DNA sequence: TGCCACGCCCTTTTT
DNA sequence: GGGCGTGGCA
């Protein structure tokens, strides 16, 4: 499978003399082999983009198992996504056998810690059936705390409050450790305290707790739980180490304290989660805490063409503070990186479609084509365009399936069954479908619960004592109690999928939707069936992995699922944010929205240097995802959130080496207005156009009208090419598509028979073909025959 | 209590 | 552009 995660095998291989014979590890270059063979003590691997990192980690684990005879269940490998974890497990199963793949601990920080907490969490006061609150649940808790404390939600936006709380927790700090500098801080401390109380009462944790509580298990060592956990793993490996936060780092150091067999792999140039608490100093300063660490640098890129690598280097070059690395490649230069000026986001989308069609005509599988953007809001226009011309696509992230109301309701039911103390969930389902339990009743029930110091579910059980609730309402509440009790009795025997099915029936949820008789309700019903199906899939997978399927297991998986985990291996074009693309690779990458303010993105608050550095790294990540073809588009104007933005080309475009790029414009864009990318340093202020000077960037409004014949004025050393492109009717590539596809055989007078590697649509159709004995040759299509 | 309509808000990136 | 909350009405 040409998985996006699978690095292309190195084609120039030094024979690693004296390397232990890890199964299938032949063909590694020297630094790779060194990283694989290293056994005891800390190891830091700087893995440049496309340097075969995944391969190294996998072989290293295989090496530990096969050569060092480490039992697989004593090895922990931490990956960045569940998808990456699954792929690593699959590779190891192939390399070392099924049992090894099964026994290994492979997962994300969050999934791994959740699993550990089910086992060791009791030492820090967590019951085994705890539930994980997602961002939405967390927000509900904050909102309720705000209302309880009679604080203004405008003054203390829940989002802001939550982000403060999370920032503290990522640093392993509690409400008591906060610096209080203002009355706002004071309120936050109180909210924080209340938030923690609520979670504890509900036997729930948030994402930060998953890590933080395991750190507590390790550091507090109550009842020896920390020691027991420490003895569990002999070797720990971590991928994407540049994006770990402080709590995760604490977890790793505490876990490996006794043996220090910690192998971390990452690339500080690809650190893009600072906003989420990631601290690039973890990798840059690793040697401080682990002075004895062996450091290996993987600097050869096997993934991308020479021009793409040099474009990437151009973008990351101006970055400050990076660990010095020399990324290089032995790959052929390949085609130029295309910088395409477009008129607006529709024109941009039209060009995206054109490139997708070209690639498809060249024989590229659609799943090898990706369209990136900086923010989700950019996806809508692209989606509409793709749909209008029937190009199948999948979109990663954005509005998620699991955010739909009916899905959240169904999940809330399951969570209440697993953990009745979860008030957030009980509130959600108590009147869904409508049972005549309104806000008034709910408030009274909540007050009753608070006055007795019990959960709302317990209050439900004792509702007959609640005199403040009217008789009729009490009866309805008792009905819910009976309903839940009945369902819980069944939950012990029914399978998860079966259980959801019963929930939807017994609660009358299906009937209520069916009665609506609307297309919307119809769609909701379908979504619910899909959810039942996904529980079924989970059962199959859990059984295959040797686990017993359970509601807990399913819920945990759902909550900890990343967007990319949903990515299917189908033959579709992929749309995603650049963040989502981390760790993936594609044959063809379209990077859209390369304008100042879009990328680098400027949000509400003006970002500082650190933010700009991160945007730069983000651009670096985006570029290095591409293997063969990279197209970067920018627009003159863009509608965003209802307003029109005037953009000038991103500063990152000016950082690309001239000989690696080719500048193009769509016909719609090229008409009348001209613009050149300024290679002089750009001003950071977006609003002010730079002073006009010959050859420099011209703002669209200030460009003087010019007769078409007068020729285009070129910035020094640049080419400006108009691509003939517009309507669907004219969609070149069709003419050459049939006989000349990638992989088809061709005959040339001088070079003999060869195989087409690539089709190019220049002024005249041409192909790059491989001829045995001659190598790759670019030849005009008219000089070729079919053999 | 439930439904509908209006208006307001915001609008990065995600485990 | 859209999601959410609020407020008014049946």
């Amino acid at each position: 499978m040409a998985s996006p995660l699978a690095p292309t095998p190195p084609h120039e291989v030094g024979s690693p003399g004296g390397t232990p014979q890890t199964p299938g590890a032949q063909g590694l270059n020297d630094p790779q082999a060194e990283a694989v063979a290293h056994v005891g003590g800390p190891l830091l691997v700087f893995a440049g983009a496309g340097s075969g990192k995944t391969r190294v980690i996998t072989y290293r684990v295989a090496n530990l198992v096969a050569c060092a005879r480490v039992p697989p269940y004593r090895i922990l490998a931490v990956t960045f996504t569940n998808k990456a974890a699954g792929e690593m497990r699959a590779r190891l199963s192939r390399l070392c056998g099924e049992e090894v793949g099964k026994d290994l601990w492979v997962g994300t920080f969050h999934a791994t810690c959740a699993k550990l907490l089910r086992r060791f969490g009791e030492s820090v006061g967590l019951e085994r059936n705890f539930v994980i609150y997602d961002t939405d649940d967390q927000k509900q808790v904050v909102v309720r705390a705000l209302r309880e404390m009679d604080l203004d939600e405008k003054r203390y936006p829940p989002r802001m409050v939550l982000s403060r709380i999370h920032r503290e927790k990522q640093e392993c700090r509690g409400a008591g450790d906060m610096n209080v500098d203002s009355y706002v801080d004071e309120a936050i401390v109180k909210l924080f305290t209340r938030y923690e109380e609520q979670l504890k009462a509900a036997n729930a944790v948030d994402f930060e707790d998953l890590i933080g509580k395991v750190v507590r298990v390790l550091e507090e060592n109550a009842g020896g739980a920390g020691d027991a956990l420490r003895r569990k793993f002999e070797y720990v490996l971590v991928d994407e180490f540049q994006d770990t936060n402080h709590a995760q780092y604490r977890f790793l150091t505490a876990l490996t304290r006794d043996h220090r067999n910690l192998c971390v792999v990452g690339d500080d140039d690809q650190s893009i989660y600072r906003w989420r608490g990631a601290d690039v100093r973890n990798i840059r300063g690793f040697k401080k805490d682990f002075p004895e660490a062996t450091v290996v640098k993987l600097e050869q890129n096997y993934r991308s063409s020479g021009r793409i690598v040099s474009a990437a280097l151009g973008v990351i070059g101006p970055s400050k503070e990076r660990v010095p690395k020399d990324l290089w490649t032995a790959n052929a230069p390949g085609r130029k990186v295309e910088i395409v000026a477009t008129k607006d986001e529709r024109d941009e989308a039209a060009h995206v479609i054109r490139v997708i069609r070209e690639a498809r005509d060249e024989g590229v599988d659609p799943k090898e084509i990706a369209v990136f953007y900086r923010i989700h809001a950019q996806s809508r226009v692209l989606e509409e365009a793709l749909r209008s011309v029937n190009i199948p696509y999948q979109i990663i992230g954005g509005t998620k399936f699991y955010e739909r109301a009916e899905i959240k309701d169904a999940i809330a039911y399951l969570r209440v069954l697993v953990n009745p103390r979860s008030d957030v969930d009980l509130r959600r389902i108590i009147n869904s479908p409508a049972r005549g339990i309104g806000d008034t009743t709910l408030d009274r029930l909540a007050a009753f619960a608070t006055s007795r110091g019990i959960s709302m579910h317990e209050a439900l059980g004792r509702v007959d004592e609640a005199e403040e609730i009217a008789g009729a309402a009490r009866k309805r509440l008792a009905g819910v109690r009976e309903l839940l009790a009945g369902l819980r009795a069944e939950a012990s025997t029914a399978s998860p999928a079966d259980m959801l099915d019963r929930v939807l029936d017994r609660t009358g949820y299906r009937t209520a939707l069916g009665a609506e008789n609307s297309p919307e309700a119809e769609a909701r019903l379908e979504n619910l069936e899909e959810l039942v199906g996904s529980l079924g899939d989970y059962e199959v997978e859990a059984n295959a992995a040797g686990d017993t399927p359970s509601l807990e297991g399913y819920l945990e998986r759902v909550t900890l699922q990343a967007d990319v985990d949903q990515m299917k291996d189908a033959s579709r074009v992929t749309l995603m944010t650049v963040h989502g693309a981390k760790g993936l690779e594609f044959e063809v990458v379209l990077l859209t929205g390369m304008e100042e303010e879009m990328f680098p993105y400027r949000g509400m608050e003006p970002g500082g240097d650190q933010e700009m550095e991160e945007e730069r790294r983000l651009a670096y990540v985006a570029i290095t995802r591409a293997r063969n073809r990279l197209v970067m588009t920018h627009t003159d104007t863009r509608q965003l959130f209802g307003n029109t933005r005037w953009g000038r080309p991103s500063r990152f475009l000016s950082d690309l080496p001239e000989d690696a790029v080719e500048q193009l414009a769509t016909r719609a864009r090229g008409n009348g207005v001209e613009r050149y990318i300024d290679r002089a340093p750009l001003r950071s202020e977006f609003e002010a156009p730079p002073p006009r000077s010959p050859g420099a960037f011209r703002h669209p409004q200030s460009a003087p009208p010019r007769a078409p014949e007068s020729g285009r004025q070129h910035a020094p050393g640049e080419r400006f090419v108009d691509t003939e492109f517009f309507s669907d009717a004219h969609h070149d590539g069709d003419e050459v598509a049939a006989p000349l596809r990638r992989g088809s055989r061709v005959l040339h007078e001088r070079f003999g028979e060869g195989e087409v590697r690539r089709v190019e649509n220049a002024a005249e159709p041409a192909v790059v073909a491989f001829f045995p004995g001659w190598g790759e040759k670019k030849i005009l299509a008219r000089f070729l025959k079919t053999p």
Side-chain angles (χ1 to χ4, degrees), chain A residues 312-376:
Chain A
L313 291 174
V315 165
I316 201 65
S319 169
K320 300 152 199 137
E321 289 179 34
R322 51 191 289 253
V323 174
K325 287 174 247 47
D326 293 306
L327 195 72
W328 62 281
T329 187
N331 294 346
R335 65 204 288 173
K336 290 196 168 178
V337 172
E338 295 144 67
I339 298 177
V340 185
T342 65
K343 189 165 144 274
D344 54 27
E345 71 273 16
R346 291 175 177 281
D347 187 35
E348 180 180 56
H351 188 73
V352 165
I353 286 170
R354 185 181 121 92
V355 172
I356 291 171
R357 283 176 162 163
E358 269 175 22
R360 192 190 57 194
D361 290 348
E362 289 166 20
V364 178
D365 186 325
K367 76 175 167 205
E368 285 293 340
I369 304 173
V371 185
F372 297 161
Y373 34 80
R374 178 65 182 79
I375 61 174
H376 282 302

Side-chain angles (χ1 to χ4, degrees), chain A residues 376-390:
Chain A
H376 282 302
Q378 290 167 262
S379 71
R380 217 192 68 252
V381 178
L382 292 163
E383 271 190 275
E384 280 167 7
L386 288 167
R387 220 167 346 180
S388 73
V389 295
N390 286 323

